[in-house]
Amino acid sequence: MEINNLGLLNSLSLIVNAGKSDNIEYVLAQYILKNLYRISSVSITEITEECFTSISAIRRFCEQLGYDNFSKLKSSVTKLVFPSNLRYRDIEEYSNYQSHIKSLINDMIIDIDEHFNFEKISFLCQLLHKDVNIVFLCANNTSGTIAKFQQELMFASKVTHVISNSFTKNNVLKSFNAEDIIITVSASGKFAELSLEFVKSLKGHKFLITGNRDQSLKSAYEDVFYISKNSISNDYLSIYGKYGITYILDLLSMQYIFLYS
């Protein structure tokens, strides 16, 4: 799987959300999203005919998203990591879902508090306060939470970057120098794993927030901040990814605003 796969939904969503319906990028993004369920059978000829465009325009669109051609973009869709692992939810057990989730969230908060402690939060606040460029790297499923965190820091006059799509094409990362800071957020570690070699190639000080204790992930980072006593690479309901990261960033933003606003 390519690293850009983990940001493809964000890339397409950003184009659609811009609302420029007279733009060929909008038309192509909308068509792909509407046909995700059968994208493996969609041919480039079909797209040129249905979207009234050319093969060269489609190629440029794919390159914009970080893919060499439509074939590579198409093959990546079947491997996407979607925001919620809905296939693991038993609809027949819906009546028990609320109490089950509440129990898991309570256990998760206790776990996080024991390992992502005040000292780690303070250290991250000090990093964020440095007068350098700061980027948060994340996949589709974490980007909304980090974007809210980004906005909260603005109340303390701190501007950061959140990169969650077209990673290899990003101009901010290309302009980084040795003093800038990159913080990868990957609760399950899947994004950290797939982005490992890419992160190694970047300039700057690099840190990782994760629940995955695979020691190989350390090779790209100066420090790793674990959010659980266990390795949670199989967080199949995304309890840590969906609720845990939100909790951690809330603690971090409040501490930062208290210290520096």
Side-chain angles (χ1 to χ4, degrees), residues 24-40:
I24 187 57
E25 285 79 15
Y26 176 94
V27 174
L28 290 170
Q30 188 177 58
Y31 191 82
I32 290 172
L33 287 171
K34 285 184 175 180
N35 291 279
L36 276 180
Y37 69 97
R38 65 175 197 91
I39 194 66
S40 61

Side-chain angles (χ1 to χ4, degrees), residues 85-98:
N85 293 318
L86 295 174
R87 64 186 180 278
Y88 291 113
R89 300 187 187 184
D90 187 349
I91 303 301
E92 294 180 0
E93 294 296 324
Y94 177 77
S95 60
N96 299 322
Y97 183 70
Q98 183 176 8

Side-chain angles (χ1 to χ4, degrees), residues 30 34 68 85 134 155-156 161 175 184 217 246 251 256:
Q30 188 177 58
K34 285 184 175 180
D68 293 335
N85 293 318
I134 296 176
F155 285 96
H161 304 271
S175 66
T184 300
L217 297 180
T246 299
L251 296 177
Y256 187 90

Side-chain angles (χ1 to χ4, degrees), residues 13 18 22 25 35 51 67-69 71 83 85 98 110 123 127 144 177 184 214 220 234 241 253 255-256:
S13 297
D22 59 342
E25 285 79 15
N35 291 279
C51 297
Y67 299 90
D68 293 335
N69 51 53
S71 178
N85 293 318
Q98 183 176 8
I110 293 172
F123 179 79
L127 282 181
N177 61 51
T184 300
D214 185 337
N234 292 320
S253 66
Q255 177 74 347
Y256 187 90

